[in-house]
């Protein structure tokens, strides 16, 4: 696990976007594992700006999203499909039929999860998986205690995760209770992983991930078992790492 220190959220976003752009130029049919949430919006903004300036071609690429809320249709304003359309898909030339997000309103969510793993396998796997991290160390919606052997599955969201996402809904009652998420085993099959960590709120968990043994109680520690993981962390996110003298993990 390589940790790259950057100044701020802007530089973190630019660094991640350059990695994605480089991959798509080297491998036009790349499969991009994408995420949602506040951390990755800056990356998508950078990809959109680059597309407007340089017309980087996504015509042969595919995207595979980490997760989707159960019970929300793809056109629901708070679905992750709508999020991706708003923040990326409608701004670049990635073909709609190449944009893959779990179907949140599937009649059988468990079957949808199984088919999603099959889809990823048919695409020959994810070339680069973009990840954020929760304050409790979750990746995707894989909460503490999730088996490392889990594939894409139906998950009940914890109260803390629902509260963290409540800002996107009018009331807590509207926040879905379940989601379909790529499992930890599914994520680890990605050829390359980029984990983004920004802000003081993530400083404690980043330090914990770096100093802890691999444990299901902190799901992100499993990334230490992957051969090609890059963590891009800004100065605020590195505060506790500095305080605990863990800077040997960090590169400029």
């Amino acid at each position: 696990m390589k940790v790259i220190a950057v100044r701020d959220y802007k530089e973190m976003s630019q660094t991640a976007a350059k990695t994605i752009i480089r991959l798509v130029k080297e491998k036009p049919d790349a499969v991009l594992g994408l995420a949602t949430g506040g951390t990755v919006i800056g990356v998508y903004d950078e990809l959109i700006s680059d597309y407007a300036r340089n017309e980087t071609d996504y015509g042969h690429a595919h995207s595979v999203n980490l997760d989707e809320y159960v019970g929300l249709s793809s056109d629901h304003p708070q679905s992750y499909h709508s999020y991706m359309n708003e923040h990326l898909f409608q701004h670049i030339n990635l073909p709609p039929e190449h944009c893959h997000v779990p179907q949140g309103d599937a009649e059988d969510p468990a079957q949808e999860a199984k088919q999603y793993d099959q889809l990823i396998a048919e695409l020959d796997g994810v070339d680069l998986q973009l990840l954020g991290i929760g304050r409790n160390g979750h990746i995707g919606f894989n909460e503490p205690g999730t088996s490392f052997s889990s594939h894409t599955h139906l998950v009940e969201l914890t109260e803390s995760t629902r509260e963290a996402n409540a800002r996107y809904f009018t009331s807590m009652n509207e926040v879905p209770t379940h989601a379909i998420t790529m499992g930890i085993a599914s994520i680890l099959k990605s050829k390359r992983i980029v984990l983004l960590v920004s802000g003081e709120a993530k400083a404690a968990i980043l330090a914990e991930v770096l100093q802890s043994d691999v444990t299901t109680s902190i799901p992100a520690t499993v990334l230490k078992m992957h051969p090609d993981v890059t963590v891009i962390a800004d100065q605020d996110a590195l505060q506790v790492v500095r305080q605990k003298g863990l800077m040997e993990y960090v590169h400029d």
Side-chain angles (χ1 to χ4, degrees):
M1 181 183 280
K2 179 183 179 183
V3 183
I4 297 175
V6 293
R7 285 187 307 275
D8 50 24
Y9 180 82
K10 178 77 171 171
E11 189 180 358
M12 179 194 75
S13 303
Q14 290 173 333
T15 304
K18 284 174 186 172
T19 303
I20 294 169
I21 292 162
R22 194 179 307 118
L23 170 63
V24 172
K25 286 181 175 176
E26 290 170 358
K27 186 180 181 186
D29 61 347
V31 179
L32 306 174
L34 302 181
T36 53
T39 303
V40 293
I41 288 177
V43 180
Y44 299 151
D45 287 344
E46 294 294 333
L47 294 180
I48 292 165
S49 296
D50 166 76
Y51 180 74
R53 290 191 314 269
N54 304 314
E55 295 186 351
T56 298
D57 185 17
Y58 297 88
H60 299 285
H62 283 260
S63 70
V64 179
N65 261 75
L66 271 174
D67 38 38
E68 179 59 285
Y69 289 122
V70 167
L72 301 191
S73 61
S74 60
D75 59 356
H76 187 286
Q78 299 309 330
S79 73
Y80 286 155
H81 204 121
S82 290
Y83 170 106
M84 292 305 304
N85 281 333
E86 178 186 347
H87 292 292
L88 183 64
F89 293 161
Q90 66 181 340
H91 304 286
I92 62 175
N93 72 325
L94 187 63
E97 64 273 19
H98 289 191
C99 302
H100 308 290
V101 183
Q103 188 182 335
D105 59 351
E107 211 169 288
D108 184 345
Q111 182 60 23
E112 171 66 12
K114 187 178 178 184
Q115 289 174 348
Y116 202 67
D117 269 335
Q118 289 170 353
L119 165 71
I120 295 169
E122 286 165 10
L123 292 172
D124 198 27
V126 173
D127 289 296
L128 185 151
Q129 178 64 59
L130 196 61
L131 293 177
I133 185 172
R135 294 187 195 189
N136 62 0
H138 73 249
I139 48 176
F141 276 129
N142 296 289
E143 299 288 352
T146 302
S147 167
F148 289 162
S149 62
S150 61
H151 293 277
T152 302
H153 61 289
L154 178 66
V155 62
E156 183 173 1
L157 303 179
T158 63
E159 204 60 19
S160 62
T161 295
R162 290 184 70 234
E163 284 169 5
N165 292 333
R167 65 187 185 275
Y168 302 114
F169 294 82
T170 13
S171 75
M172 188 65 178
N173 290 337
E174 290 185 12
V175 183
T177 57
H178 291 76
I180 295 170
T181 187
M182 281 172 62
I184 290 173
S186 304
I187 291 169
L188 290 179
K189 285 181 181 176
S190 306
K191 298 175 182 78
R192 228 173 135 191
I193 296 173
V194 174
L195 175 67
L196 304 181
V197 193
S198 175
E200 288 181 33
K202 302 294 175 68
I205 191 60
L206 175 59
E208 247 187 293
V209 168
L210 292 180
Q211 70 181 357
S212 295
D213 293 332
V214 174
T215 170
T216 56
S217 63
I218 308 172
T221 58
V222 76
L223 299 178
K224 294 177 174 182
M225 298 171 65
H226 192 281
D228 192 349
V229 175
T230 301
V231 180
I232 306 173
D234 65 20
Q235 295 302 321
D236 287 342
L238 288 166
Q239 285 182 5
V240 179
V241 169
R242 274 200 203 84
Q243 290 163 13
K244 292 192 172 185
L246 299 169
M247 290 302 284
E248 73 268 17
Y249 291 97
V250 181
H251 305 260
D252 291 319

